[in-house]
Amino acid sequence: AGQGCVTMDATTIRQALIATTNPDATVRNAAEAQLKQSFETDPANHLFLLSQELADESSPSAQGRALAGILLKNYMTSKEHQQAVKLANDWMSLNPEIRNKVKANSVNALGSSQKDVRLASAQVISKIATIELPKQQWEDLVQALLSFVVKPEANPSGVAKKEAALHTIGYICEEIAQLETDCLHSKSNDILTAVVAGMRTEEQDLNIKIAATQALANALEFADRNFQVDAERNYIMQVICEACTTQASEQVRENAFQCLGRIAELYYDKLMQYMQALLELTISAISTQPDAVARQAIAFWIQICDVEYDRLLDGDSGCNNFVKGAAQYLIPVLLTAMAQQEEGQDDESFNKSTEAAFCLASISQVIRDEVVERVVPWVGQHVRESNWRLCEAAIVAFGCIMDGPDDQLLTQAMNATQMLENVLTYLKKDSQDTEQLLIKNSSAWTLMRVCEMNFNFIKDHLEQLVPQICMVIPGSEPKTANHLCWCIHHISSNLVAFLEDLPTALNQFPLSNVFVSTVECLIATGDRSDASEDNLRATAYEALNALIGTANPSKCPGATPVVESFIVPVLLPMLGERLNQTFTMQVLNADDNNTRSEWQSFFCGAIQTCISNMSGKTDVLMVADASGLSLADKLMTLFLQVFSSQNTMAAQEALLAVDTVLNVLEQGFQRYMQSFGPILVSCVHACHDAPLCVLAVTTVSDLARCLEGNVTQYCDPLVEALLTVFHRAEVDADYVQVHDYIKPAICSSFGDVAMAITKDMEKYLQYWFRALQTACQTCLKLQNDLQAGEDEDLRNYLTALTEGVFDGYVGILHGLKQAEKDGTPRAVEAFFTPVALKEGCLVLIESMSNVNNSTEETLKKAVGLLGDLGETYQDKIKPHLNTQAIMEVLKQASDSDDKETKDLTMWARKYL
């Protein structure tokens, strides 16, 4: 196909497109390379040729034409934001004449006799429209598409073009809705008129009705003005409801119910007068319609639940209680649907039965206690049913209502002992029958939900329940075993919370008699040959960590025997030995390396959890054995070796473990700094891996707190690393996706190090102040960005950075005050400079006067810093603090409902 050509023509591009579908990989690869080279050589010509082929009805290959459209679309968009911006800019930089030709060809292809070609052209047009319409370009496009719909040509091409135009309108609405632009609002009325016209009963072409209902689901985003007008809203609702009941097409009914779901999301407040009809419509669809239609009818109620749950969470703000009113009619229909499982159903199934279960769980969250009387009797009636469908549905239904009702009410309504016996009976059944496996897996899922949501239901049965779970895990399929490991995880987490809430510590550890056997079960589960399936190994070790966390003597003195007789002498050495064995694992490829790193992560995590239970028991870690090595020596040797594997996942777990050792040993940790210090510096520099970098910065802070003044000798490389990373432009540049914020942690660490080294901070001060000043300016910029439009990710980052900056300033000031107390004359004067005050922290505090929704923690830190400044400098600083902006910040703090904030404000005012 002319492989040597650089610039292609219509013939060679057609040949290359056809060749890309050749079964011969050599031919296919050569064609793909040729197309790539053509684009790189002359992008404008290449795009034009693709559009020409897309529109050419004389082409012998419809598949080649559709592929031309797909390639054309791919040259204009990307899932990656930065690449999408670049491609859009590349398109707009093309000669307008070329762009117009590509657009004209794409529009002409909408009338193709080949459906795949029409759909490809619809996608091309929508991608170009997404780029150009917000820039007030291609202004006549929407009108042209609407004319294809409203005034179609009286021939097959006109009908095809009408259908394709509706698809195109739907794609454009879907794309534009994701952008912050109002470029379609002026056209929204015409769009709705055209789309709704395609849905009317008078429209006889089913393909057009399907395209119209799909387009309406996307166009509803722009129907806000129409929904404010009763007559227009009534008409739209009438057309949709008629489409929901049309007998002509299942696809139309499915799309129409999807439109109702969008309306529930977008225009919930306008639904009151329609709810009786919608309830009847959806109940009928759930009961009688095919699976796809019934799912969308259920999805309507899920959307109603989502809206009402959020509103109730906000204090009953605007909740119309549609779910509460519909529950008595809807729940029985859902329970019936749950008992209509498909053959061979499993965890991955998606059908009316699974959607009904999800809806029941959503209803439970909304109506809470009321769900008990509507579901529990049905569960009790069918949980021992011989009909496997009713039995499985009853078990799932009980799991669905765990989140919502009061724990005590649920426990009283259902006999805990009896229900647990029923669930455990199904779990213990050893059958390979498909239906029995489903019941077993559903029983495990429901038990997992009970353990997570309703600890009161099981807390009196732990010594009986946990061993039975461990008995079932070995013989269960991975997905069932995964649920059961989560049971142990939730039991452990809830037990820790229960112990923390007790007014007095327990002298009897609730898991004393089952702790060892449960640990052994979880470790054996991680060793299963099928443990890589369904994430079983990771879940088993997460459950192991949660279980070990329950045996903390500081929270439950009764756990001390478990620590002293099992965790220290048995479990820790065993985990250490298994971690040591990973270093001899054969690594021949990337998969082997990932497997080794995964094991290292699991063992480091489990060891770290064991060590965290030893707070205040330094002697346990530091006592040397016959070899002269302590347990801490042996573990640190292993952790340091993990870092050499160059795997960030394992390095994170190893660093967490080292940090735990540090927090237990405190000053005793110095003996490891010669080896660990350089590793910590390299982890701080690893800003390409944000979680590892943040963890390393946090470890620097912990190091300063634990070693206090003794950390001074290790500070030069650590501080240099912190400053280097802070000033890298790429760090935290992508805060929208990354919530492991590096710069806030670094700012905070400056304060921690300053408090530890006091008088020895002098050589770092100018660099710290410059960095904090830069961070202040960044905060001001982010505040301005927020004024342009709400952005939750940006606000979260701004909050984190502001608090980190305040931590840094407070720590430095406290460190200087301590230095002065220790004999360094006038040490605090180093803070009384423009870069730290007028051009630094005070600029940031004053800017908060223009921010009405500062978090409570941010206010506390700002007021605390003001108080520290006033207390330190007295009259000298009053002119700087008695400004209108600072008074406004103090007023915000005074008006807080938080007592700690109020008290802090009263204290700060004494110095102003």
Side-chain angles (χ1 to χ4, degrees):
Q3 186 176 350
C5 296
V6 174
T7 302
M8 304 181 82
D9 56 22
T11 301
T12 54
I13 203 163
R14 176 177 294 174
Q15 291 171 343
L17 288 167
I18 294 173
T20 59
T21 63
N22 194 298
D24 186 330
T26 304
V27 175
R28 193 167 61 247
N29 292 339
E32 290 171 357
Q34 187 182 7
L35 289 168
K36 181 180 178 182
Q37 185 183 25
S38 170
F39 176 75
E40 291 172 350
T41 303
D42 190 346
N45 180 62
H46 186 76
L47 295 180
F48 168 68
L49 291 175
L50 287 175
S51 71
Q52 196 173 46
E53 181 65 14
L54 175 66
D56 190 350
E57 283 290 283
S58 66
S59 173
S61 172
Q63 188 178 8
R65 292 175 64 197
L67 178 58
I70 293 170
L71 290 174
L72 200 52
K73 177 202 73 170
N74 290 344
Y75 285 129
M76 297 177 199
T77 188
S78 170
K79 291 180 180 178
E80 306 228 346
H81 176 70
Q82 291 181 336
Q83 178 65 6
V85 171
K86 178 186 179 302
L87 292 174
N89 290 335
D90 290 346
W91 167 256
M92 293 304 297
S93 68
L94 292 176
N95 186 310
E97 184 180 350
I98 290 292
R99 295 209 324 265
N100 289 336
K101 287 180 179 179
V102 171
K103 291 186 288 190
N105 285 333
S106 300
V107 171
N108 288 338
L110 289 176
S112 172
S113 60
Q114 302 295 327
K115 186 166 186 176
D116 287 347
V117 174
R118 297 198 299 271
L119 290 176
S121 66
Q123 292 181 59
V124 172
I125 294 167
S126 72
K127 294 303 179 185
I128 298 175
T130 304
I131 297 170
E132 295 205 1
L133 289 180
K135 296 179 171 64
Q136 286 76 51
Q137 302 279 322
W138 209 2
E139 290 282 86
D140 59 345
L141 169 65
V142 173
Q143 203 55 49
L145 294 172
L146 294 177
S147 69
F148 296 156
V149 176
V150 178
K151 299 176 182 178
E153 301 168 15
N155 54 45
S157 176
V159 174
K161 192 175 287 187
K162 179 176 181 178
E163 177 196 350
L166 284 165
H167 281 301
T168 308
I169 291 168
Y171 295 154
I172 291 172
C173 290
E174 183 180 20
E175 297 274 353
I176 295 294
Q178 299 174 40
L179 306 177
E180 293 183 4
T181 175
D182 59 357
C183 63
L184 283 186
H185 282 283
S186 63
K187 307 173 180 68
S188 61
N189 197 57
D190 292 337
I191 289 173
L192 278 169
T193 301
V195 170
V196 171
M199 293 175 59
R200 292 182 305 180
T201 52
E202 293 85 353
E203 177 59 64
Q204 298 300 307
D205 191 297
L206 283 182
N207 288 328
I208 288 176
K209 294 190 86 157
I210 291 170
T213 50
Q214 288 173 338
L216 180 60
N218 292 319
L220 283 166
E221 180 86 25
F222 305 98
D224 49 332
R225 286 183 297 181
N226 307 83
F227 266 75
Q228 301 304 319
V229 181
D230 289 351
E232 295 184 24
R233 183 177 67 249
N234 290 339
Y235 181 65
I236 293 171
M237 293 297 294
Q238 177 189 339
V239 171
I240 294 174
C241 289
E242 287 174 352
C244 286
T245 56
T246 181
Q247 296 303 307
S249 167
E250 177 184 328
Q251 182 71 59
V252 170
R253 296 197 299 276
E254 179 186 351
N255 293 346
F257 275 109
Q258 187 177 9
C259 289
L260 289 180
R262 285 291 286 154
I263 290 170
E265 177 187 3
L266 297 168
Y267 308 112
Y268 169 88
D269 293 317
K270 299 296 182 182
L271 286 179
M272 180 67 79
Q273 70 187 88
Y274 312 105
M275 283 311 295
Q276 182 61 43
L278 294 177
L279 175 62
E280 294 172 4
L281 197 64
T282 50
I283 283 179
S284 173
I286 296 168
S287 304
T288 64
Q289 290 295 311
D291 197 88
V293 179
R295 283 204 316 270
Q296 289 300 333
I298 295 169
F300 167 79
W301 283 104
I302 293 173
Q303 189 59 61
I304 294 287
C305 287
D306 287 347
V307 174
E308 296 199 344
Y309 178 78
D310 289 341
R311 295 192 175 196
L312 290 169
L313 208 61
D314 291 338
D316 202 15
S317 174
C319 179
N320 292 321
N321 292 310
F322 295 145
V323 177
K324 191 178 182 70
Q328 60 179 312
Y329 310 104
L330 183 60
I331 288 177
V333 176
L334 292 173
L335 292 170
T336 300
M338 288 172 63
Q340 295 174 353
Q341 304 90 332
E342 64 186 13
E343 296 299 327
Q345 182 159 313
D346 59 21
D347 262 7
E348 304 301 319
S349 298
F350 177 59
N351 51 47
K352 179 167 77 171
S353 168
T354 60
E355 192 79 342
F358 187 81
C359 187
L360 179 60
S362 299
I363 290 172
S364 178
Q365 290 180 312
V366 174
I367 67 173
R368 304 182 72 80
D369 290 352
E370 188 181 323
V371 81
V372 175
E373 63 181 283
R374 306 207 178 280
V375 175
V376 167
W378 192 87
V379 171
Q381 179 184 352
H382 296 296
V383 73
R384 298 179 68 84
E385 178 74 54
S386 58
N387 180 323
W388 74 267
R389 295 181 186 277
L390 286 169
C391 172
E392 195 268 344
I395 293 168
V396 172
F398 189 64
C400 287
I401 64 169
M402 283 299 107
D403 187 9
D406 176 74
D407 288 0
Q408 294 293 344
L409 177 64
L410 196 55
T411 304
Q412 292 165 8
M414 175 65 77
N415 184 301
T417 304
Q418 186 61 55
M419 188 64 192
L420 288 174
E421 284 181 4
N422 290 332
V423 169
L424 289 166
T425 297
Y426 294 125
L427 282 171
K428 292 174 186 175
K429 282 189 177 180
D430 187 17
S431 171
Q432 294 304 307
D433 179 80
T434 303
E435 289 81 13
Q436 291 304 314
L437 284 174
L438 177 61
I439 291 174
K440 181 174 182 177
N441 188 57
S442 297
S443 297
W445 178 83
T446 290
L447 185 57
M448 176 185 71
R449 294 270 294 179
V450 172
C451 294
E452 179 184 9
M453 306 283 186
N454 197 334
F455 189 62
N456 283 329
F457 201 80
I458 59 170
K459 68 179 172 59
D460 296 329
H461 308 277
L462 295 184
E463 289 207 337
Q464 298 77 39
L465 177 61
V466 173
Q468 293 191 69
I469 292 173
C470 291
M471 185 191 310
V472 174
I473 288 176
S476 299
E477 290 187 326
K479 59 188 173 186
T480 302
N482 182 287
H483 291 328
L484 295 174
C485 286
W486 272 112
C487 289
I488 297 173
H489 188 290
H490 292 315
I491 287 171
S492 302
S493 300
N494 283 320
L495 179 58
V496 170
F498 173 74
L499 293 173
E500 288 176 344
D501 289 342
L502 289 176
T504 56
L506 271 186
N507 289 321
Q508 177 63 40
F509 179 42
L511 298 179
S512 290
N513 297 327
V514 300
F515 187 87
V516 174
S517 59
T518 308
V519 168
E520 291 171 345
C521 169
L522 292 171
I523 291 175
T525 302
D527 289 340
R528 282 172 48 158
S529 59
D530 59 358
S532 59
E533 299 177 28
D534 292 284
N535 208 35
L536 178 56
R537 180 173 294 119
T539 304
Y541 272 88
E542 286 175 20
L544 175 64
N545 291 343
L547 177 64
I548 295 169
T550 64
N552 191 329
S554 65
K555 297 172 183 173
C556 179
T560 301
V562 170
V563 174
E564 293 179 348
S565 65
F566 176 68
I567 291 181
V568 172
V570 179
L571 183 57
L572 262 176
M574 183 270 287
L575 291 170
E577 178 53 34
R578 295 200 61 174
L579 176 57
N580 188 41
Q581 290 171 5
T582 64
F583 302 123
T584 60
M585 290 175 66
Q586 191 173 33
V587 177
L588 300 177
N589 51 45
D591 287 342
D592 290 344
N593 187 52
N594 288 336
T595 299
R596 182 180 68 176
S597 297
E598 184 181 57
W599 278 114
Q600 289 175 348
S601 298
F602 293 147
F603 295 139
C604 285
I607 292 170
Q608 180 256 332
T609 311
C610 290
I611 297 170
S612 66
N613 286 351
M614 298 180 188
S615 180
K617 298 183 180 294
T618 307
D619 56 322
V620 175
L621 288 175
M622 296 302 291
V623 172
D625 61 12
S627 67
L629 297 174
S630 66
L631 182 56
D633 294 338
K634 296 174 182 176
L635 293 175
M636 283 298 297
T637 300
L638 293 171
F639 297 148
L640 295 176
Q641 199 167 347
V642 170
F643 289 110
S644 65
S645 68
Q646 301 295 309
N647 181 279
T648 55
M649 179 176 69
Q652 286 179 45
E653 293 296 334
L655 191 54
L656 272 172
V658 172
D659 190 60
T660 305
V661 173
L662 165 64
N663 281 284
V664 172
L665 298 186
E666 295 186 329
Q667 292 286 351
F669 190 82
Q670 278 193 77
R671 64 196 295 176
Y672 307 115
M673 280 304 297
Q674 186 174 354
S675 301
F676 176 65
I679 290 173
L680 181 57
V681 169
S682 67
C683 289
V684 170
H685 277 297
C687 53
H688 57 278
D689 181 7
L692 178 61
C693 180
V694 171
L695 186 55
V697 174
T698 304
T699 303
V700 172
S701 291
D702 287 345
L703 198 64
R705 182 182 52 79
C706 292
L707 298 191
E708 298 177 319
N710 289 321
V711 79
T712 305
Q713 59 191 303
Y714 312 110
C715 276
D716 281 357
L718 290 171
V719 171
E720 182 182 355
L722 292 170
L723 289 166
T724 300
V725 172
F726 179 87
H727 289 294
R728 285 182 182 166
E730 70 273 19
V731 171
D732 290 351
D734 197 18
Y735 58 80
V736 173
Q737 276 81 27
V738 180
H739 290 275
D740 297 289
Y741 304 138
I742 295 174
K743 290 186 179 180
I746 291 177
C747 290
S748 185
S749 72
F750 294 155
D752 293 321
V753 174
M755 283 192 289
I757 65 176
T758 63
K759 62 181 176 59
D760 294 311
M761 75 172 85
E762 183 180 358
K763 60 181 174 180
Y764 308 126
L765 270 179
Q766 61 173 315
Y767 304 106
W768 286 346
F769 284 146
R770 289 296 178 195
L772 290 171
Q773 184 187 42
T774 300
C776 288
Q777 293 303 315
T778 301
C779 290
L780 297 182
K781 179 183 179 302
L782 295 177
Q783 288 175 8
N784 289 331
D785 292 345
L786 271 176
Q787 290 178 356
E790 183 58 38
D791 183 329
E792 186 177 352
D793 291 304
L794 189 151
R795 183 171 297 283
N796 289 339
Y797 182 74
L798 170 60
T799 299
L801 185 58
T802 302
E803 292 177 3
V805 168
F806 287 149
D807 286 341
Y809 280 122
V810 168
I812 291 172
L813 184 56
H814 282 213
L816 291 171
K817 289 169 72 174
Q818 187 60 48
E820 193 161 299
K821 284 181 184 177
D822 294 340
T824 302
R826 300 173 59 80
V828 295
E829 294 304 312
F831 199 102
F832 205 89
T833 59
V835 70
L837 283 174
K838 290 196 298 182
E839 299 166 7
C841 63
L842 295 184
V843 172
L844 182 55
I845 295 174
E846 288 183 340
S847 73
M848 291 172 59
S849 65
N850 300 316
V851 179
N852 296 322
N853 50 358
S854 296
T855 67
E856 200 69 51
E857 192 61 28
T858 305
L859 272 177
K860 284 179 188 174
K861 290 178 184 293
V863 172
L865 177 54
L866 287 173
D868 285 335
L869 290 170
E871 183 184 52
T872 303
Y873 299 109
Q874 302 287 321
D875 292 343
K876 183 178 179 181
I877 201 169
K878 282 185 179 180
H880 299 292
L881 302 187
N882 288 324
T883 66
Q884 185 176 347
I886 286 178
M887 291 304 122
E888 175 58 32
V889 173
L890 289 170
K891 183 179 182 302
Q892 289 179 24
S894 297
D895 293 341
S896 169
D897 294 329
D898 185 83
K899 184 179 182 303
E900 186 180 346
T901 305
K902 284 180 175 292
D903 291 346
L904 202 57
T905 307
M906 289 179 62
W907 167 75
R909 282 189 184 277
K910 290 193 305 182
Y911 301 105
L912 304 183

